[in-house]
């Protein structure tokens, strides 16, 4: 098969579409012929040498794909050769073939074509698992999503809006804020020109955020705690602003607030399987009814993965950049 390899840690042009050995499957895995994968911010870090795949995972980048089952392990039930599927991966999605633990396969929601559906696995699983099982977001609560125009942000806005939450976002341009409003954000804050703590308090009669979904880590830690409402929950899923920050425990104590940080990729297979199943049960019906839509910024041929990485590096995307297998 062909896969996108990282020839050495570095800039986007270290990515190379090359012939490599086909993957083999174990008894509880399925082999998927990939239709499309999608770029995640984590792929950029992996390419730069800052985010190694977990032990046992493929060395090729790619945390998700859509495709067709071409081989089924002896212990796998419920999947057959020829089935269309989506997969949440620990790596290896930027390839023509990928081996997937069967619990990380999901059906394709009705009404979504196989190429477009590649925009769903990573963002739907990350958003659902963090907003609901982790943060326990309730209807009527205020959710602040940082980076509302990101792949994650565009999914979080729609899923939280569908759950009856009031959604606030930050983004760095008027165009992205407008797109976030179209997707269901009620409060749109330009982080370049506004202080998001003051802006969100002003927009919510002083209440603040019941839940914050954060991509910035250390750079926003103090202000994320400042913006929380009593009993608020801060969930950190990205470290774009660094990993080491100072936490005011007195402030947390007074608010009865919590801070959680999670990484989907590092979870054990059994937890990923639970998350896939919860996502299919809770998010797929919203996709099938048209309430939640995959947001695709553009489709790039997989051999040009370097160009796709540059799109994310320049912050030029709203939603997902897909990689289609030629
Ligand atoms: N923990 C997990 O399991 C998990 C899973 C998936 C993704 N993630 C994380 O989720 C985040 C989004 O991932 P993605 O793949 O969707 O990436 P993406 O599309 O590349 O989005 C990155 C976003 O960061 C925003 N951003 C940059 N500086 C910002 C600032 N100062 N304040 C607020 N937002 C800022 C950008 O917004 P502007 O363009 O408007 O500046 C952009 O929308 C990443 O941090 C990623 O690592 C975590």
């Amino acid at each position: 098969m062909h896969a996108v390899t990282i020839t050495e840690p570095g800039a986007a042009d270290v990515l190379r579409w090359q012939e490599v050995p086909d993957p083999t499957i174990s008894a509880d895995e399925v082999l998927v012929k990939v239709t499309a994968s999608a770029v995640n911010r984590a792929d950029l870090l992996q390419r730069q040498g800052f985010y190694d795949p977990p032990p046992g995972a493929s060395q090729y980048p790619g945390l998700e794909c859509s495709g067709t089952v071409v081989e089924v392990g002896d212990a796998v039930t419920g999947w057959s050769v020829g089935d269309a599927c989506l997969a949440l991966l620990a790596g290896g999605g930027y390839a023509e073939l990928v081996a997937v633990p069967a619990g990380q396969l999901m059906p394709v929601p009705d009404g979504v074509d196989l190429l477009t559906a590649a925009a769903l696995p990573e963002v739907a699983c990350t958003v659902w698992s963090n907003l609901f099982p982790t943060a326990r977001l309730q209807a009527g609560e205020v959710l602040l999503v940082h980076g509302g125009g990101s792949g994650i942000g565009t999914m979080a806005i729609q899923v939280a809006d569908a759950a009856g939450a009031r959604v606030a976002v930050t983004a760095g341009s008027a165009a992205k804020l407008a797109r976030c409003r179209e997707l269901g954000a009620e409060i749109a804050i330009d982080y370049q020109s506004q202080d998001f703590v003051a802006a969100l308090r002003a927009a919510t009669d002083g209440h603040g955020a019941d839940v914050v979904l954060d991509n910035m880590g250390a750079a926003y830690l103090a202000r994320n705690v400042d913006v929380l409402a009593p009993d608020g929950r801060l969930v950190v899923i990205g470290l774009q602003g660094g990993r080491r920050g100072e936490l005011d425990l007195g402030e947390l104590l007074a608010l009865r607030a919590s801070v959680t940080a999670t990484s989907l990729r590092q979870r054990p297979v059994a937890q990923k399987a639970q998350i896939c199943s919860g996502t299919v049960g809770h998010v797929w019906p919203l996709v099938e009814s048209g309430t939640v839509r995959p947001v695709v910024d553009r489709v790039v041929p997989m051999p040009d993965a370097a160009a796709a990485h540059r799109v994310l590096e320049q912050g030029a995307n709203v939603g997902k950049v897909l990689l289609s297998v030629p």
Side-chain angles (χ1 to χ4, degrees):
M1 71 163 182
H2 284 79
V4 174
T5 63
I6 300 170
T7 52
E8 58 180 318
D13 53 14
V14 302
L15 298 177
R16 222 41 69 68
W17 181 244
Q18 284 180 334
E19 198 163 347
V20 297
D22 287 5
T24 54
I25 56 168
S26 60
D28 52 6
E29 289 183 325
V30 161
L31 190 66
V32 174
K33 181 173 183 292
V34 176
T35 298
S37 186
V39 184
N40 286 280
R41 200 136 267 266
D43 307 343
L44 279 52
L45 293 176
Q46 181 174 341
R47 190 202 72 216
Q48 291 164 329
F50 299 133
Y51 191 26
D52 289 338
S58 165
Q59 295 302 300
Y60 311 128
L63 300 178
E64 58 194 327
C65 74
S66 63
T68 308
V69 174
V70 291
E71 194 184 334
V72 179
D74 292 341
V76 174
T77 54
W79 290 97
S80 306
V81 170
D83 286 347
C85 63
L86 298 179
L88 181 70
L89 305 169
Y94 291 19
E96 290 177 311
L97 293 168
V98 65
V100 189
Q104 290 167 222
L105 286 184
M106 295 173 280
V108 180
D110 286 345
V112 183
D113 66 84
L114 200 49
L115 174 69
T116 305
L120 289 170
E122 180 74 15
V123 293
C125 290
T126 301
V127 164
W128 178 76
S129 60
N130 282 291
L131 292 189
F132 300 104
T134 300
R136 307 174 312 282
L137 181 68
Q138 304 290 322
E141 287 193 322
V142 176
L143 167 70
L144 172 60
V145 179
H146 287 303
S150 64
I152 291 287
T154 52
M155 177 58 60
I157 294 166
Q158 297 182 83
V159 170
D161 183 41
R166 296 180 64 192
V167 183
V169 295
T170 59
S173 73
K176 286 196 180 182
L177 291 168
R179 191 77 183 90
C180 292
R181 282 189 189 279
E182 284 168 17
L183 290 168
E186 178 190 326
I187 302 159
I189 302 167
D190 185 340
Y191 69 76
Q192 305 271 18
S193 61
Q194 290 175 280
D195 169 15
F196 70 78
V197 180
L200 188 68
R201 292 230 179 259
T204 56
D205 295 326
H207 179 76
D210 298 291
V211 175
V212 177
L213 187 65
D214 174 63
N215 60 337
M216 295 304 294
Y220 277 5
L221 183 60
R223 282 193 290 157
N224 277 336
V225 174
D226 287 349
V227 84
L228 286 177
D231 300 297
R233 289 86 75 198
L234 164 60
V235 183
V236 179
I237 62 164
L239 302 173
Q240 288 171 232
R243 57 190 293 173
R244 285 178 193 274
E246 201 173 282
L247 199 52
D248 182 339
L249 292 171
E251 210 177 341
L252 281 187
L253 187 146
L255 289 168
R256 302 172 302 280
S258 66
V259 180
T260 310
T262 71
S263 158
L264 187 53
R265 189 185 200 183
Q266 315 290 338
R267 286 181 186 263
V269 169
Q271 282 190 21
K272 287 183 185 165
Q274 265 182 350
I275 288 172
C276 287
S277 153
T279 301
V280 170
H282 291 90
V283 182
W284 273 207
L286 299 172
V287 176
E288 290 177 345
S289 68
T291 308
V292 168
R293 291 170 194 282
V295 178
V296 175
D297 181 79
R298 70 192 80 189
V299 182
V300 175
M302 197 175 279
D304 299 336
H309 275 212
R310 286 188 203 104
V311 172
L312 261 77
E313 267 161 358
Q314 290 156 7
N317 59 305
V318 172
K320 299 288 290 188
V321 175
L322 302 188
L323 296 170
S324 60
V325 173

